[in-house]
Each structure stands twice: as structure tokens, then as C-alpha cells.
């Protein structure tokens, strides 16, 4: 009996064969889910990050990418870079949220989301 996997490649199941199904997204295994260290609108909890995010948000996004061990030019050529970076950080650190929330954060209040991510990275000492 055969079926097709997500990318159209055939998957053949043989009698007696054991299949493994991944039901949890890979991330920080063993860590409990948690909230962001600071809220989306807590910009004044770190005035330096707030000022950088307000007057040079693109520079802050590039600095965040570098702290996440990504190429600092990612924001230059990746559409919705902030969303991608927030998803990566949430996954690695088991932060509660969803891709929908990350996308809405970028579209509706991107500078605040960028500052929140910078505060989180500072909290993590990256």
C-alpha cells in the first residue's frame, strides 16, 4: 500500500514496518512554554532599544538577526524578515505564540515587535 508524502514523493508502507510520527514542533526540548520576557508595548522598559527601534528600526532588525546567528543582511532581502525571526526565536526559546500573531505583529506594529525581540535577546544575553 502506498501514499504520497507532503512533497509528492511516494511513501511505501510494508507490513510490520513501524512508522514514526512527529507531533511536536522541534525546538527547545524539555523547556516549558513561557511568555515573552516583556510585553509588546513595554518599549520604555529599555529606552535605548526603544530609541533605536524608533529612529533606526532597520539597524535594530539587522542587529537582532546577527544576535540570532543569522546573516545581518537578512532584513535586506527576505520579505517579512521580522516574522521569520520571531518564529525562529519563539521556537528556540519555547515562547508562547503563533505564526499568525507574529505576522500580525509585523503588519500592525512592526517597530514594537522588533523592540520586543531585541529586549528578549538582551534578556537571553545573546
Amino acid at each position: 500500500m502506498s501514499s504520497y508524502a507532503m512533497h509528492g514523493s511516494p511513501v511505501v508502507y510494508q507490513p510490520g514496518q513501524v512508522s514514526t510520527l512527529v507531533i511536536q514542533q522541534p525546538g527547545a526540548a524539555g523547556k516549558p512554554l513561557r511568555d515573552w520576557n516583556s510585553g509588546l508595548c513595554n518599549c520604555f522598559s529599555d529606552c535605548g532599544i526603544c530609541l533605536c527601534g524608533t529612529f533606526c528600526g532597520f539597524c535594530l532588525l539587522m542587529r537582532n538577526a546577527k544576535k540570532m546567528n543569522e546573516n545581518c543582511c537578512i532584513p535586506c532581502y527576505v520579505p517579512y524578515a521580522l516574522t521569520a525571526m520571531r518564529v525562529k526565536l519563539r521556537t528556540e526559546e519555547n515562547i508562547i505564540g503563533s505564526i499568525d500573531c507574529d505576522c500580525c505583529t509585523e503588519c500592525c506594529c512592526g517597530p514594537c515587535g522588533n523592540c520586543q525581540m531585541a529586549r528578549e535577546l538582551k534578556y537571553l544575553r545573546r
Side-chain angles (χ1 to χ4, degrees):
M1 189 174 281
S2 68
S3 63
Y4 285 89
M6 282 177 50
H7 301 290
S9 58
V11 178
V12 179
Y13 295 100
Q14 309 230 343
Q17 181 180 1
V18 177
S19 298
T20 302
L21 177 63
V22 177
I23 58 172
Q24 186 175 7
Q25 185 176 11
K31 286 185 179 180
L33 286 175
R34 65 178 184 87
D35 280 327
W36 289 91
N37 183 50
S38 63
L40 189 61
C41 297
N42 287 358
C43 286
F44 295 110
S45 65
D46 189 319
C47 289
I49 289 175
C50 179
L51 290 171
C52 185
T54 301
F55 296 108
C56 195
F58 199 72
C59 296
L60 183 62
L61 193 58
M62 291 172 69
R63 188 175 82 178
N64 288 345
K66 188 171 182 175
K67 285 184 176 187
M68 293 174 64
N69 296 322
E70 294 293 340
N71 185 321
C72 68
C73 294
I74 288 281
C76 299
Y77 57 84
V78 173
Y80 298 102
L82 178 62
T83 298
M85 290 167 54
R86 285 177 65 89
V87 168
K88 178 183 179 183
L89 184 60
R90 276 190 319 92
T91 302
E92 288 177 349
E93 298 299 326
N94 270 8
I95 298 172
I96 298 169
S98 67
I99 294 172
D100 292 343
C101 290
D102 294 329
C103 189
C104 286
T105 297
E106 179 170 13
C107 293
C108 298
C109 46
C112 292
N114 191 15
C115 289
Q116 181 186 39
M117 198 165 56
R119 290 189 306 272
E120 189 71 30
L121 290 166
K122 184 177 181 179
Y123 168 76
L124 296 170
R125 301 284 185 230
R126 285 189 178 185

